[in-house]
Amino acid sequence: MSGSYYIPHETKWPFLSTVALIILFVGLSNYLNDESDLTLMFTGLALLMVMIYGWFSYVIKESESGIYNAQVDMSFRWGMAWFIFSEVMFFAAFFGALYYARELSLPWLGGDGAKVSTNIVLWPQFENVWPSNGPANYGGDFIHMKAGGIPALNTLILLTSGLTVTWAHHGLKEAKRNQLILGLIATVLLGFIFVGFQAYEYMHAYSDLNLKLTTGIYGSTFYMLTGFHGFHVTLGAIMLTVILFRCINGHFTNQNHFGFEAVAWYWHFVDVVWLGLFVFVYWL
Amino acid sequence: MSANLEHAEHHQPSGIMRWITTTNHKDIGTLYLFFSLLMFFIGGLMALVIRAELFEPGLQLVVPGFFNQMTTMHALIMIFGAVMPAFVGLANWQVPLMIGAPDMALPRLNNWSFWILPFAFTMMISTLFFEGGGPAAGWTLYPPLSLQGGNSMPFVIFSIHLLGLSSILGAINIIATILNMRAPGMTLMKMPMFVWTWLITAFLLIAAMPVLAGAITMLLTDRFFGTSFFTASGGGDPVLFQHIFWFFGHPEVYILILPAFGIISTILPTFSRKPLFGYDSMVYATASIALLSFIVWAHHMFTVGMPLAGELFFMFATMLIAVPTGVKVFNWVATMWRGSMTFETPMLFSIAFIVLFTIGGLSGLMLAIVPADFQYHDTYFVVAHFHYVLVPGAIFAIIAAVYYWLPKWTGKMYDEFLGKIHFWLTTIFVNVTFFPMHFVGLAGMPRRIPDYAVQFTDFNAIASVGAFGFGFAQVLFLYILYKALKDDVTVGEKAWDGAQGLEWTLSSPPPYHSFETPPKVE
């Protein structure tokens, strides 16, 4: 049993992926330093896409040829679970920044607790009210994003997509092919609708609310949290699309479908992060 | 054995392509260890630039800007380039051997986590040759200073992102290996201590590295995209960076020492010819240290003006860590108690580890006391403290591990006499280097400054002599490794008569795929 653990042959994908990553980051650094345009970065990005495509297709081919046994499957599960945990910790850093700004740094700037002199000496006119762009009114007056409307709708969309992906999973497990594919199509569509609404919300914020990335700490936390989340939703939706095509091509069996489950886990993870965002960024 | 394994062996390429494309845990472990050795010498040379400049007061050799780049890069290279990769290399070699697995759980990912390192470090070190130089705000990258760096800044930040990616992937792989690849019968509480400490370290890595990624991403957007995370006038706070950074930074400290604990807990029983004293309590102590490491971070920032309640909480939480650490030190001493001890090189390094790491631990306890820390903060006392836990702590453990397992890895034995010379030179010079730093620190000499007041001269001169002595002693280490590989002093399966564990049941060197048929553990 354990003796047949699959050890892959030599591989070129990781090394080439690293080369692509380095090209991407050197290009981006040069762009940020005003040394060049984004050509190099996009070259790296394109290479990275090729590498990811190549690497994943290879693994999918191996998986479909049936060389992965139950123990390999379990390694993948542990790997994905801990990867998602690392993502949770990444978001935790930004939620921590939001908490710190709202509960500590802004009250202190407003003269709370032992920090009376901070307020008196630096910004005596500043009062701590959330949302705030700081005592220097960074980015000018703005209107904050309300929880009702698009964010509430988006909450509904993501929660529904969590249900549809579970429905699809049941379809897979019970070998109901139509339920599987319909469920996945619905999930992918809901995912991209979410991203579309989010993009619309950003345009609305920039053009109508004067709420920008540069709008002090509120703008910073708002865009970084929702932005990274939106990026993860986009990734998740792309991953779901891949899974959809794999299902259409007849991949996975009702016993053996780790790829599907990994993406479903990931999708639930972005769902849960969104609930945190909805409560702490939009609502409270 | 399955057909897949045979298939894999037939296709093994040779030359450089073997190393670029390898998925084998031993090859990758070797790559990690050689890379770490290279970084150890590069980072060491930077330390010697620092010590040469500090040999006497005044500015002699380098300009202050370059001095700051040296302190920053020395730290980044030693932490992310020397110590962490050395531990991952040891894990790659040893974990599958110790738990009876054929290889790591995710071999391709393993290749990726290694190959990110040389690229990321090339990117980071290349900034030293930029106009305006490399990063100079210290490895902690505190804003607002770090935001004022030159063109090096995005390069350094992205290289740290890549190093974090490498660490997370490596840690995921190690956890998956330990949880999923153990031989039948090897329950968690039968695992060797080294495996246990790495399991806990991997958890710390996965929990802490993404937080660092978040912190430096905020630095990047503050600098280039106009966010105000660390700008008070925008409602942020530079101290926020310190909180997020040290939420990563303190677990990172234990990432740098827990595998060392595992190594020492492996070597001491071998040369004391007794089982490890208090195995269960060792496991629980390690886990307690890891959990506590998440609630002590602000002891790095007692002087930034936190509320009193915060200072008290972090002071007491920090002092609590002395309890499980004390358990470990006690167990090590009790392991040696009434053992039939012999003093081969790995054992010598391990005993020195216990003594000198404990000195570093105790000075840490002094630093944990808030009112005392107000005096010690940012002085050479802090430098002395963390070098005592990192050099005769982490580095000694790594050197001990290399001497201990080299016969297993290569089938060759090192020269014991030269090994002992290496040990004594290293141990004497490490103390000559770092002990005087306690004194100048208590007397008020600030860290990260290229010049100092004349009353600190004598101890600084002594420390500089010690540093060069330490550096040359490590050249001897290189020679010992070279000689061991060149000479033909071969060893059998069990290089040390007191050694326990599955790795000693395999040939030396072990077969390419370690345990193709899993052993049965009673």
Side-chain angles (χ1 to χ4, degrees):
Chain A
M1 210 182 76
S2 308
S4 60
Y5 195 87
Y6 173 66
I7 313 282
H9 338 146
E10 73 281 355
T11 172
K12 58 186 183 300
W13 301 115
F15 187 86
L16 294 174
S17 302
T18 311
V19 174
L21 272 176
I22 286 289
I23 295 174
L24 191 161
F25 280 133
V26 169
L28 183 55
S29 299
N30 280 334
Y31 169 75
L32 291 175
N33 285 332
D34 287 329
E35 302 267 322
S36 72
D37 58 13
L38 282 170
T39 317
L40 194 60
M41 192 203 85
F42 281 118
T43 311
L45 193 63
L47 271 175
L48 190 64
M49 298 293 174
V50 175
M51 292 311 144
I52 290 172
Y53 180 81
W55 191 344
F56 273 88
S57 345
Y58 198 83
V59 173
I60 289 168
K61 220 177 289 168
E62 283 181 343
S63 170
E64 287 302 307
S65 73
I67 50 179
Y68 295 163
N69 63 8
Q71 201 185 8
V72 177
D73 192 67
M74 189 49 90
S75 290
F76 287 156
R77 282 166 195 279
W78 279 122
M80 190 66 192
W82 286 102
F83 172 69
I84 290 177
F85 177 61
S86 80
E87 293 267 46
V88 169
M89 293 310 291
F90 180 76
F91 276 98
F94 289 90
F95 275 107
L98 177 68
Y99 171 83
Y100 187 91
R102 291 183 61 170
E103 297 300 322
L104 296 169
S105 72
L106 283 167
W108 287 341
L109 289 167
D112 207 36
K115 310 289 171 137
V116 177
S117 47
T118 307
N119 182 260
I120 295 172
V121 175
L122 291 174
W123 291 285
Q125 84 294 354
F126 178 69
E127 262 183 272
N128 166 35
V129 244
W130 184 257
S132 167
N133 56 353
N137 198 23
Y138 270 32
D141 292 336
F142 66 98
I143 303 167
H144 75 275
M145 190 61 71
K146 309 256 183 327
I150 290 178
L153 193 60
N154 263 346
T155 308
L156 200 64
I157 289 173
L158 265 199
L159 289 179
T160 312
S161 76
L163 291 178
T164 54
V165 80
T166 307
W167 189 62
H169 192 196
H170 279 283
L172 178 52
K173 282 200 287 199
E174 291 151 21
K176 294 178 186 159
R177 195 174 146 79
N178 286 341
Q179 181 179 335
L180 163 67
I181 290 175
L182 276 180
L184 270 178
I185 291 175
T187 314
V188 169
L189 282 179
L190 287 168
F192 282 115
I193 291 171
F194 174 92
V195 175
F197 274 144
Q198 199 71 1
Y200 173 78
E201 181 191 81
Y202 278 12
M203 286 189 290
H204 169 61
Y206 260 77
S207 53
D208 303 331
L209 306 180
N210 192 33
L211 169 57
K212 298 177 175 163
L213 188 57
T214 49
T215 306
I217 191 67
Y218 177 68
S220 308
T221 49
F222 175 80
Y223 280 106
M224 293 298 277
L225 274 162
T226 57
F228 271 119
H229 177 263
F231 174 67
H232 281 77
V233 173
T234 313
L235 274 185
I238 293 171
M239 280 154 42
L240 280 168
T241 312
V242 173
I243 296 296
L244 171 63
F245 281 113
R246 287 186 65 185
C247 289
I248 291 173
N249 286 333
H251 290 197
F252 304 126
T253 64
N254 55 351
Q255 295 298 320
N256 201 348
H257 49 263
F258 164 72
F260 181 99
E261 287 184 56
V263 175
W265 292 351
Y266 195 80
W267 196 248
H268 290 308
F269 151 72
V270 296
D271 210 353
V272 171
V273 173
W274 173 260
L275 290 181
L277 286 179
F278 184 68
V279 172
F280 294 109
V281 176
Y282 290 97
W283 183 13
L284 294 179
Chain B
M1 198 180 84
S2 78
N4 296 322
L5 291 177
E6 286 172 36
H7 191 56
E9 278 171 34
H10 289 181
H11 274 268
Q12 194 182 319
S14 55
I16 182 82
M17 284 312 284
R18 169 187 170 186
W19 299 102
I20 286 178
T21 61
T22 183
T23 52
N24 179 274
H25 76 102
K26 301 187 188 73
D27 286 353
I28 295 172
T30 306
L31 285 170
Y32 264 111
L33 289 170
F34 272 106
F35 178 76
S36 154
L37 193 63
L38 176 69
M39 286 294 130
F40 180 58
F41 277 92
I42 294 177
L45 283 176
M46 293 177 175
L48 292 185
V49 172
I50 296 168
R51 283 320 316 171
E53 175 58 46
L54 292 174
F55 181 69
E56 52 183 26
L59 296 175
Q60 286 86 22
L61 300 169
V62 294
V63 294
F66 188 71
F67 183 91
N68 292 342
Q69 293 171 34
M70 287 293 103
T71 54
T72 305
M73 291 297 268
H74 164 71
L76 287 171
I77 288 175
M78 286 304 200
I79 292 167
F80 293 105
V83 175
M84 288 167 71
F87 282 141
V88 183
L90 291 169
N92 255 299
W93 256 102
Q94 288 306 127
V95 167
L97 295 183
M98 291 171 123
I99 63 173
D103 205 299
M104 296 291 279
L106 305 161
R108 289 198 188 101
L109 211 58
N110 203 13
N111 174 298
W112 199 22
S113 34
F114 171 75
W115 277 109
I116 288 173
L117 290 180
F119 285 93
F121 270 101
T122 308
M123 186 161 152
M124 183 191 281
I125 295 174
S126 70
T127 61
L128 286 175
F129 305 99
F130 284 13
E131 201 181 324
W139 83 281
T140 52
L141 302 166
Y142 281 4
L145 187 58
S146 66
L147 296 174
Q148 294 157 11
N151 279 0
S152 65
M153 195 217 178
F155 287 90
V156 171
I157 283 187
F158 289 133
S159 62
I160 296 175
H161 273 305
L162 287 171
L163 298 176
L165 178 67
S166 154
S167 296
I168 292 167
L169 297 177
I172 287 174
N173 205 350
I174 289 168
I175 291 201
T177 306
I178 297 174
L179 292 180
N180 192 36
M181 306 283 283
R182 298 194 309 281
M186 181 171 283
T187 56
L188 285 176
M189 292 310 278
K190 280 185 190 165
M191 289 196 311
M193 265 317 286
F194 179 71
V195 180
W196 253 116
T197 54
W198 242 116
L199 178 64
I200 293 167
T201 304
F203 165 72
L204 289 180
L205 278 166
I206 298 176
M209 296 308 291
V211 177
L212 174 67
I216 58 178
T217 303
M218 290 180 221
L219 272 186
L220 192 80
T221 56
D222 264 18
R223 160 95 182 250
F224 292 104
F225 298 98
T227 57
S228 350
F229 288 106
F230 310 130
T231 313
S233 49
D237 189 345
V239 177
L240 169 60
F241 178 84
Q242 300 187 19
H243 280 290
I244 305 176
F245 180 87
W246 286 113
F247 185 85
F248 143 79
H250 204 79
E252 170 70 18
V253 171
Y254 295 129
I255 289 162
L256 297 172
I257 201 66
L258 290 185
F261 289 174
I263 292 165
I264 301 305
S265 305
T266 310
I267 294 177
L268 286 175
T270 298
F271 298 101
S272 306
R273 288 161 186 82
K274 273 177 66 193
L276 182 68
F277 184 88
Y279 171 90
D280 290 12
S281 66
M282 282 301 219
V283 172
Y284 298 133
T286 312
S288 315
I289 292 172
L291 292 179
L292 284 172
S293 77
F294 286 106
I295 54 163
V296 297
W297 75 87
H299 67 216
H300 295 268
M301 18 185 316
F302 279 148
T303 59
V304 294
M306 271 186 296
L308 183 64
E311 310 258 270
L312 287 174
F313 172 80
F314 286 108
M315 171 166 84
F316 289 128
T318 303
M319 293 167 98
L320 217 52
I321 293 181
V323 177
T325 313
V327 168
K328 299 201 77 104
V329 174
F330 177 87
N331 284 348
W332 289 325
V333 176
T335 301
M336 292 187 288
W337 177 254
R338 295 194 163 174
S340 315
M341 289 167 69
T342 50
F343 299 93
E344 286 85 347
T345 311
M347 183 63 163
L348 288 173
F349 274 103
S350 300
I351 295 171
F353 171 97
I354 298 174
V355 175
L356 299 175
F357 173 80
T358 305
I359 292 178
L362 290 175
S363 61
L365 213 47
M366 293 168 71
L367 288 162
I369 302 166
V370 172
D373 184 70
F374 280 14
Q375 172 72 20
Y376 306 152
H377 186 87
D378 257 350
T379 68
Y380 259 83
F381 190 79
V382 177
V383 178
H385 157 68
F386 68 72
H387 279 97
Y388 259 87
V389 290
L390 285 176
V391 185
I395 303 266
F396 269 34
I398 292 163
I399 295 175
V402 170
Y403 279 118
Y404 182 68
W405 282 309
L406 187 75
K408 173 51 63 188
W409 300 335
T410 62
K412 311 272 181 76
M413 185 50 98
Y414 62 87
D415 186 321
E416 188 61 51
F417 174 75
L418 287 180
K420 287 200 166 78
I421 302 273
H422 175 224
F423 165 75
W424 283 110
L425 288 175
T426 304
T427 304
I428 290 168
F429 280 121
V430 91
N431 285 291
V432 173
T433 311
F434 296 114
F435 212 81
M437 292 184 187
H438 290 109
F439 306 140
V440 287
L442 289 178
M445 178 171 162
R447 57 191 286 215
R448 291 174 168 160
I449 308 274
D451 191 6
Y452 52 83
V454 281
Q455 69 266 30
F456 303 130
T457 309
D458 292 348
F459 284 133
N460 268 291
I462 294 169
S464 291
V465 170
F468 278 86
F470 183 86
F472 286 119
Q474 304 324 306
V475 179
L476 176 62
F477 181 47
L478 275 190
Y479 174 73
I480 294 169
L481 294 178
Y482 167 77
K483 186 167 181 292
L485 294 179
K486 189 176 66 75
D487 290 358
D488 223 17
V489 189
T490 50
V491 292
E493 288 175 2
K494 208 166 170 184
W496 312 105
D497 60 357
Q500 300 291 328
L502 289 177
E503 74 262 44
W504 306 105
T505 63
L506 291 171
S507 58
S508 307
Y512 195 64
H513 291 291
S514 304
F515 287 96
E516 281 158 359
T517 325
K520 185 94 182 91
V521 179
E522 294 307 319

